[in-house]
Amino acid sequence: MASMLSFSPPPLMKPMVSPVLLSPSVGSIHLDKKLGHSVIRHVATEPRVTVPVIPPIETARPVSTSKGKISAWTSVRQERWAGELAVEGKIPLWLDGTYLRNGPGLWNIDQHHFRHLFDGYATLVRASFKNGRVSAGHRQVESDAYKAARKNRRLSYREFSETPKPKNFVSFVGELANLFTGSSLTDNANTGVIQLGDGRVLCLTETTKGSIQIDPNTLDTIGRFQYSDNLGGFIHSAHPIVTDSEFLTLLPDLVRPGYIVARMEPGRNERKIVGRVNCRGGPAPGWVHSFPVTENYVIVPEMPLRYCVRNLLQAEPTPLYKFEWHPESGSYMHVMCKASGKVVASVEVPPFVTFHFINAYEEKDKQGRVTAIIADCCEHNGDTSILDLLRLNNLRSSTGLDVLPDARVGRFRIPLDGYPIGELDAALDPEEHGRGMDMCSINPAYLGKKYRYAYACGARRPCNFPNTLTKIDLVTKRAKNWHEDGAVPSEPFFVARPGATKEDDGVVISIVSDKHGGGYALVLDASSFKELARAKFPYGLPYGLHGCWVPRN
């Protein structure tokens, strides 16, 4: 198979020799001058764990408020922590398992500060629920990129917007050669975290090498997840479709523009080809950060925001980083049969920009025949400026200007009767969720099926970043919104109540950075969207991206 190229997001710093003593409950940090180390003192009397301290770091001066500092855009304060959280409110006793959240958490190496949100080295956060109590922790994912940066105290791999600075022309030529072999691309798995059907837990990003297995209980890095097939390729979708029975992913082909749809079975490391989609536009495949599926089909989006090898080679970031905007090349939605691998529809649609698809399902006529595919996504009105807005200096700005680009629930209707044109409209009035929409989840029992509810991050204007949690009702076309002044919530993740029969019977979990420098795990009732409880971390954590739920065995 022809080789493929890609990119992805970011690495950390060297630990001090002195340890910190941790026990699993909330406390405060005190410097013990006699012992020569920091001690976190707690109310509980559980066994302590010794771990290295990372000195407090900030990637830039954090956004100030009248009462404190926002922690969302500052680097994580130490490499790891574990403890029990103080709970306000009541957590349902049925909530029994671990919520994991992955995302960029360290945005500097010594005095070198990263530019972009996606450049941060991965910080994995755990919130474990049992009997109404919450134990928690965080830890850096020990990718090669992170370990090299910590050892060498400099950038060592190509990140989303950052490139190692060559010392001379010879090293520059060598770095380019490493790029074409994929060895210089980052493995910083800072985007998502998933549980495979066999129970293994992986952190992922858009480079294939950035698939790293972790222990969901200790957050230890087990090692790189090695695919045992010969499919090749340096990049894949950061968001595969994962169920108890399969793992589906897309591999963009930059040499012969197109996409490989591949499947992997639980307990295996081998991906097998389901089929291939050739691009209808050009000069390269569109970015496929995520994609949707139905019960019988894989939907392959071809967005006019396309991969660009030339930009990948640049030493400094271009306005669209590793991509180029080619509206003249057209926008398409392709439908592939899961069973046969054949493309059953390929339709042109209006130009669109999306990071995240929400869900898709099959539309049927009265005779039960599938007539169309409905696919929903967080759509940015074909506006690519959202990429550059995610520069850290923009996110740390406290100007109060309403600069967040508008977004909506974009609903595609893809006909399966041979008609060549598809539709793209808003599924509900974007004002319902403040014209902000991203970072979505649904009840996983409705994956690929007709559904009613979606949970996402919305906006309360003015803002420069999504600052609410929103529950979308696609039947009534209304939204319920949670908001706290100055807070930055991460992706709302739905967890169903055991035995539930209603789609929204469960809770929604989000980790929130508040305006005073603190943070907490928030638990909302998914039906009413009212707050049930919050469990407070001893200090605020950086903003995170995507999560998963690991039920207790």
Side-chain angles (χ1 to χ4, degrees):
M1 170 173 290
S3 62
M4 305 174 228
L5 291 177
S6 174
F7 78 93
S8 174
L12 201 211
M13 55 183 301
K14 195 172 183 179
M16 296 172 62
V17 176
S18 58
V20 70
L21 302 179
L22 302 175
S23 71
S25 65
V26 175
S28 57
I29 299 178
H30 301 277
L31 180 63
D32 191 322
K33 296 181 180 178
K34 293 182 180 180
L35 296 177
H37 57 236
S38 299
V39 178
I40 298 186
R41 306 201 184 279
H42 300 274
V43 178
T45 58
E46 301 179 32
R48 294 177 174 182
V49 190
T50 302
V51 298
V53 161
I54 294 295
I57 42 181
E58 294 179 351
T59 59
R61 188 172 296 174
V63 179
S64 298
T65 69
S66 59
K67 297 183 179 180
K69 297 178 179 179
I70 297 173
S71 61
W73 317 120
T74 59
S75 287
V76 66
R77 290 174 56 175
Q78 58 193 48
E79 187 179 40
R80 66 184 85 167
W81 177 85
E84 185 170 328
L85 305 187
V87 176
E88 294 180 358
K90 291 186 177 181
I91 292 173
L93 296 179
W94 60 259
L95 190 61
D96 190 14
T98 295
Y99 169 67
L100 297 174
R101 191 199 72 176
N102 191 13
L106 184 80
W107 287 297
N108 69 294
I109 306 169
D110 290 349
Q111 298 306 308
H112 175 77
H113 302 294
F114 294 143
R115 300 179 179 94
H116 200 278
L117 170 65
F118 297 160
D119 284 330
Y121 293 115
T123 302
L124 192 61
V125 180
R126 169 183 61 83
S128 297
F129 299 83
K130 186 174 180 62
N131 297 326
R133 300 178 68 181
V134 186
S135 63
H138 75 261
R139 187 165 182 174
Q140 296 302 118
V141 177
E142 294 186 341
S143 62
D144 288 345
Y146 167 76
K147 290 186 292 185
R150 186 174 60 179
K151 176 182 178 180
N152 302 324
R153 309 193 76 80
R154 61 180 174 81
L155 187 71
S156 301
Y157 288 80
R158 283 179 173 257
E159 305 298 342
F160 181 79
S161 74
E162 300 277 344
T163 301
K165 304 301 181 188
K167 296 179 180 179
N168 51 49
F169 180 75
V170 174
S171 64
F172 170 72
V173 173
E175 205 278 330
L176 284 182
N178 289 337
L179 174 61
F180 283 104
T181 65
S183 60
S184 70
L185 296 177
T186 189
D187 66 340
N188 175 30
N190 71 353
T191 305
V193 55
I194 59 171
Q195 184 180 36
L196 300 177
D198 55 43
R200 291 178 292 179
V201 176
L202 307 182
C203 292
L204 300 174
T205 189
E206 293 193 343
T207 57
T208 307
K209 65 191 282 190
S211 302
I212 296 178
Q213 186 177 352
I214 61 96
D215 184 317
N217 299 310
T218 65
L219 304 186
D220 288 346
T221 297
I222 296 174
R224 182 173 297 174
F225 183 88
Q226 299 284 358
Y227 297 98
S228 61
D229 52 68
N230 60 358
L231 294 187
F234 300 154
I235 56 177
H236 60 181
S237 170
H239 294 284
I241 301 295
V242 182
T243 67
D244 291 341
S245 60
E246 68 180 359
F247 168 104
L248 286 168
T249 189
L250 292 185
L251 287 75
D253 187 341
L254 304 190
V255 177
R256 295 187 303 124
Y259 313 88
I260 299 295
V261 178
R263 176 190 288 116
M264 185 172 70
E265 297 177 355
R268 304 290 297 274
N269 288 41
E270 181 185 9
R271 300 163 298 177
K272 296 183 178 179
I273 294 177
V274 177
R276 175 186 168 90
V277 174
N278 293 320
C279 288
R280 288 181 57 183
W287 186 21
V288 285
H289 186 70
S290 69
F291 63 100
V293 299
T294 69
E295 293 180 283
N296 298 296
Y297 301 101
V298 178
I299 292 82
V300 180
E302 186 179 341
M303 189 163 57
L305 184 62
R306 297 180 181 272
Y307 296 100
C308 178
V309 175
R310 183 179 67 253
N311 286 352
L312 184 64
L313 297 173
Q314 296 285 340
E316 293 297 324
T318 66
L320 291 178
Y321 304 95
K322 313 305 181 189
F323 313 105
E324 280 187 339
W325 180 241
H326 288 280
E328 76 288 348
S329 69
S331 308
Y332 308 94
M333 296 290 280
H334 311 281
V335 180
M336 177 182 291
C337 176
K338 286 183 182 179
S340 68
K342 294 181 179 179
V343 177
V344 300
S346 178
V347 304
E348 187 167 6
V349 294
F352 65 99
V353 171
T354 184
F355 298 164
H356 301 114
F357 279 86
I358 302 170
N359 197 20
Y361 60 89
E362 296 161 15
E363 189 174 73
K364 298 179 181 180
D365 62 17
K366 294 180 180 180
Q367 286 73 42
R369 294 172 298 193
V370 179
T371 58
I373 301 295
I374 304 299
D376 295 337
C377 67
C378 302
E379 206 277 304
H380 298 279
N381 295 292
D383 184 355
T384 61
S385 67
I386 183 64
L387 264 178
D388 208 44
L389 176 73
L390 299 179
R391 284 178 181 257
L392 288 165
N393 61 349
N394 292 335
L395 298 176
R396 294 176 179 135
S397 171
S398 58
T399 61
L401 298 177
D402 193 21
V403 294
L404 177 68
D406 286 356
R408 59 182 177 169
V409 178
R411 170 159 287 187
F412 293 94
R413 186 179 186 279
I414 308 165
L416 298 185
D417 60 0
Y419 190 69
I421 304 298
E423 301 171 6
L424 172 59
D425 295 298
L428 75 163
D429 185 348
E431 293 292 345
E432 283 288 320
H433 46 81
R435 307 189 317 281
M437 175 58 47
D438 218 332
M439 313 303 289
C440 49
S441 73
I442 62 168
N443 183 331
Y446 289 78
L447 175 69
K449 302 175 182 178
K450 191 168 186 178
Y451 72 118
R452 179 172 180 174
Y453 301 111
Y455 309 90
C457 291
R460 178 171 291 187
R461 305 285 179 159
C463 60
N464 66 351
F465 193 79
N467 58 1
T468 72
L469 301 174
T470 184
K471 175 187 178 181
I472 302 294
D473 187 327
L474 293 165
V475 173
T476 65
K477 301 188 182 300
R478 301 298 300 272
K480 295 178 180 178
N481 298 288
W482 176 94
H483 173 78
E484 185 169 274
D485 184 48
V488 180
S490 62
E491 173 191 66
F493 193 87
F494 176 86
V495 179
R497 182 181 63 82
T501 56
K502 294 183 178 179
E503 184 180 342
D504 62 347
D505 187 356
V507 298
V508 168
I509 301 171
S510 175
I511 294 179
V512 181
S513 302
D514 70 28
K515 68 178 180 180
H516 304 302
Y520 51 90
L522 177 70
V523 181
L524 302 178
D525 177 83
S527 178
S528 66
F529 222 56
K530 300 294 185 182
E531 181 174 334
L532 296 175
R534 60 179 64 185
K536 293 188 175 181
F537 286 88
Y539 50 82
L541 290 168
Y543 180 77
L545 296 175
H546 302 285
C548 75
W549 177 253
V550 180
R552 196 176 306 276
N553 293 329

